[in-house]
Amino acid sequence: MKKIGAWIGTIAGVALGSFLYGIEKIFGLSVYTLLMNVDFIPGVRHAMGHPALEWLLHLSVSLSIGFIFVYIVEKRNAWDSTFRFILSGLLSAGAAITYVPLTLLAVQETPSLRDGKAISFWLAGHAVFGLVLSGSYDVLKWKDRPAAV
């Protein structure tokens, strides 16, 4: 259970980070910067400016979400893909609402709370996260299923 949680969390986290990085480079919106921003957390503030540390912090959150997802699915024996899809949507929506506190707490410049484009891309990125979370679980668990007779 831990192994698949780590994998799907990593895959989904890479998808989200890559999507927002591309949006920032293409449109100039600081959504990737917002995703990586920890300048308001005293204990980890030193990671700012160190891309590898910022990335590891991001992936640790994604891993945690991956573990939670797998734990809930397997604890409830929820093999129905609809349940997994809804669960991944709820978990990614929970992550997406961090736009507000991350923006309010940020020391460095990040997109405004009124920046509709940035908010839209932030939400789209988290939708990608949820889809990849659920989809990668399905793909990775597929090989564990018994062969059809």
Side-chain angles (χ1 to χ4, degrees):
M1 179 167 78
K2 290 180 183 177
K3 187 176 180 181
I4 193 169
W7 275 109
I8 69 169
T10 299
I11 294 166
V14 167
L16 172 61
S18 298
F19 178 83
L20 293 180
Y21 182 80
I23 294 302
E24 185 163 316
K25 292 301 176 188
I26 294 168
F27 295 101
L29 300 168
S30 301
V31 288
Y32 179 79
T33 299
L34 182 63
L35 183 69
M36 295 295 132
N37 187 30
V38 292
D39 64 2
F40 55 89
I41 305 172
V44 293
R45 183 176 292 147
H46 65 280
M48 288 307 298
H50 300 288
L53 289 175
E54 292 172 345
W55 186 249
L56 286 174
L57 287 168
H58 162 67
L59 286 182
S60 68
V61 173
S62 296
L63 282 169
S64 299
I65 294 170
F67 289 138
I68 291 166
F69 177 82
V70 171
Y71 176 80
I72 292 171
V73 166
E74 296 189 357
K75 185 78 169 171
R76 292 188 45 143
N77 291 321
W79 308 118
D80 175 33
S81 60
T82 303
F83 176 82
R84 290 193 309 273
F85 182 75
I86 291 168
L87 177 61
S88 68
L90 291 172
L91 291 172
S92 60
I97 63 171
T98 62
Y99 184 92
V100 174
L102 288 175
T103 300
L104 292 174
L105 295 171
V107 174
Q108 69 177 327
E109 189 171 330
T110 58
S112 152
L113 289 176
R114 293 183 216 140
D115 188 337
K117 244 190 207 177
I119 292 168
S120 295
F121 282 125
W122 180 266
L123 293 174
H126 284 81
V128 167
F129 178 87
L131 291 170
V132 172
L133 188 70
S134 181
S136 60
Y137 178 86
D138 290 346
V139 168
L140 293 174
K141 284 306 254 186
W142 181 257
K143 66 181 181 179
D144 294 339
R145 294 182 182 140
V149 179

